[in-house]
Amino acid sequence: MRQQNVRTLSLVVCTFTYLLIGAAVFDALESDTEAERLQIIEYVRQHLQGKYNISGSEYKLIETVIIENQPHKAGPQWKFAGALYFVTVVVAMIGYGHSTPETVGGKAFCIVYAVVGIPLGMVMFQSIGERLNKCTSIIIKKTSVLRQMKKMLGCATTEATDVNQLCVTGTLSSIVMTAGAAVFSHYENWNYIDAFYYCFITLTTIGFGDFVALQKDNALTTKPGYVALSLVFILFGLTVVAASINLLVLRFMTMNTEDVKAGDYEMQDASQSVVTLDGELMAINGKLLAGTHDSEVGEGRVGSFTSVATVCSCTCYPRPHHSPTDTHRYSVVRSPSRISNLLLEQGPGGSKAAPHHSDQFPPLLHDSFMVANYLKTKRSSV
């Protein structure tokens, strides 16, 4: 349990540190460019207003018209091809934001559709990812070339491990992204870095929406093959990424399970070194860990007595303490079956008081069975 707590705390610290580092890096990379773009836009706005004598309200109206017209450059967004592209983005939780429902009925149906479709899509992707991992494990196990490579690399086993499968699915994910980037770079006239950026943002379901395919030259209605290719890329790519995530989550859960089992074993080992007899806790070496009893109060007998021992590595007997108000001599009636009553005790005057019975409790018992047998003998003698 302690190792799990340390790991969780380390993950929290690392995550927040990673966030702070990322924020600092993006601040250094993007803030100056953002300021320059803002200055250019402000300069162009003032220039257009002065050249064409446009008021501020008229300029804002022109901006609104341009922004609202931007999604319609790709053609109709809500015909069947565009709607299919939209629901795929919804179920896959990408959410480009390139087109959104405008009617009340469309928004309500989108909520209901997403509530059912998102879990369905997640289960489908996870299930296909598991099958893909199973196929890769079989391929690694049956392919002689891969077995020979593992032997050459000094692997202890030729079986498919989680690390091997993660390497395969990671490589497949990289191939899908690089190939998809080449295709989208060709069809969308993007440079390769922008196309690869779009593929990564899409398959990781981040979906910023700054780059969206099928948004040029009425591609949704005039290029059905390209639409199908884009949908296949999204679905297959998400399946491959889901397979990698499956392996990562499985590996982390396995590590947690091992830690829990290790903690259980430690607790079992600790519990085996302690025995409980007649309500008193005793270590396996015969030392009393905790035991209490109260004296009887009667004529000429006042006070209470408590025997408490701590866990100690030495062989000395635990010394009981008494209440400061106890000024009279103790006269304690004990039961021989109590472990604490068999120990030597110290009275108020500092003198040692022997137990009622002549037999002394052995100075050190090294086995719990000896303790049990000794108590059994004492009970039978009473």
Side-chain angles (χ1 to χ4, degrees):
M1 295 298 294
R2 185 178 301 174
Q3 186 175 0
Q4 285 182 303
N5 295 334
V6 172
R7 178 177 298 162
T8 302
L9 182 60
S10 301
L11 286 173
V12 172
V13 173
C14 290
T15 301
F16 278 97
T17 304
Y18 194 72
L19 293 175
L20 294 175
I21 292 174
V25 171
F26 280 112
D27 184 9
L29 294 176
E30 298 291 337
S31 59
D32 294 338
T33 303
E34 181 187 27
E36 292 177 0
R37 292 179 62 186
L38 182 61
Q39 292 178 357
I40 293 173
I41 291 173
E42 185 65 21
Y43 172 78
V44 172
R45 183 183 68 80
Q46 294 177 358
H47 177 72
L48 290 176
Q49 285 182 336
K51 182 178 181 179
Y52 298 103
N53 194 20
I54 302 174
S55 63
S57 59
E58 291 175 341
Y59 186 82
K60 289 182 179 179
L61 178 62
I62 295 173
E63 283 182 336
T64 303
V65 172
I66 293 174
I67 293 172
E68 292 293 332
N69 186 58
Q70 185 68 28
H72 301 285
K73 291 182 179 181
Q77 293 288 318
W78 293 106
K79 294 298 181 182
F80 184 79
L84 180 62
Y85 188 60
F86 171 79
V87 295
T88 303
V89 169
V90 169
V91 171
M93 295 186 296
I94 299 174
Y96 290 129
H98 66 290
S99 61
T100 55
E102 297 294 335
T103 63
V104 176
K107 293 176 181 178
F109 180 75
C110 182
I111 294 173
V112 176
Y113 190 82
V115 167
V116 178
I118 290 176
L120 179 63
M122 291 178 64
V123 172
M124 182 196 71
F125 290 133
Q126 294 294 325
S127 180
I128 297 177
E130 291 176 358
R131 296 299 91 199
L132 183 61
N133 290 332
K134 183 65 175 179
C135 291
T136 55
S137 65
I138 293 175
I139 291 173
I140 294 173
K141 183 178 180 180
K142 298 296 183 181
T143 305
S144 59
V145 176
L146 296 177
R147 292 202 306 269
Q148 293 296 329
M149 290 178 61
K150 293 186 67 175
K151 290 181 179 179
M152 292 175 61
L153 294 174
C155 297
T157 178
T158 58
E159 298 293 332
T161 63
D162 293 340
V163 177
N164 301 142
Q165 296 180 24
L166 186 59
C167 292
V168 173
T169 54
T171 303
L172 186 58
S173 300
S174 301
I175 293 173
V176 171
M177 287 187 185
T178 53
V183 172
F184 288 111
S185 176
H186 172 73
Y187 279 99
E188 298 290 341
N189 293 323
W190 295 333
N191 61 62
Y192 188 81
I193 297 299
D194 290 341
F196 188 85
Y197 167 79
Y198 162 76
C199 294
F200 179 82
I201 295 300
T202 297
L203 297 186
T204 52
T205 68
I206 298 175
F208 288 132
D210 49 350
F211 288 91
V212 183
L214 303 172
Q215 300 299 301
K216 293 181 179 178
D217 304 326
N218 293 325
L220 288 171
T221 56
T222 60
K223 299 178 180 179
Y226 181 39
V227 174
L229 180 62
S230 299
L231 296 178
V232 170
F233 167 78
I234 292 175
L235 296 176
F236 180 73
L238 287 175
T239 301
V240 175
V241 173
S244 301
I245 294 175
N246 264 338
L247 292 172
L248 288 174
V249 173
L250 179 62
R251 181 60 181 169
F252 184 77
M253 291 178 63
T254 303
M255 294 172 63
N256 283 341
T257 304
E258 292 174 354
D259 292 341
V260 171
K261 290 182 178 180
D264 293 340
Y265 291 150
E266 291 178 358
M267 294 180 64
Q268 290 177 3
D269 293 339
S271 64
Q272 290 174 358
S273 63
V274 176
V275 294
T276 303
L277 296 174
D278 290 337
E280 295 185 347
L281 190 64
M282 173 171 282
I284 199 69
N285 60 1
K287 291 185 181 181
L288 182 65
L289 300 182
T292 60
H293 61 273
D294 295 329
S295 64
E296 296 181 359
V297 180
E299 291 186 12
R301 295 179 297 176
V302 183
S304 64
F305 186 88
T306 303
S307 296
V308 178
T310 58
V311 180
C312 179
S313 60
C314 62
T315 60
C316 60
Y317 288 114
R319 295 184 177 180
H321 65 273
H322 57 83
S323 174
T325 60
D326 298 337
T327 58
H328 298 280
R329 177 175 295 178
Y330 288 91
S331 177
V332 182
V333 178
R334 282 185 270 257
S335 171
S337 64
R338 303 288 293 181
I339 301 174
S340 58
N341 297 336
L342 300 176
L343 299 178
L344 292 176
E345 54 184 64
Q346 185 175 2
S351 60
K352 299 264 182 164
H356 289 282
H357 302 280
S358 59
D359 295 337
Q360 296 291 331
F361 190 75
L364 186 61
L365 296 181
H366 296 279
D367 190 270
S368 61
F369 296 102
M370 295 175 65
V371 175
N373 292 331
Y374 181 79
L375 292 178
K376 184 178 179 180
T377 303
K378 297 300 293 183
R379 290 195 189 102
S380 61
S381 64
V382 172

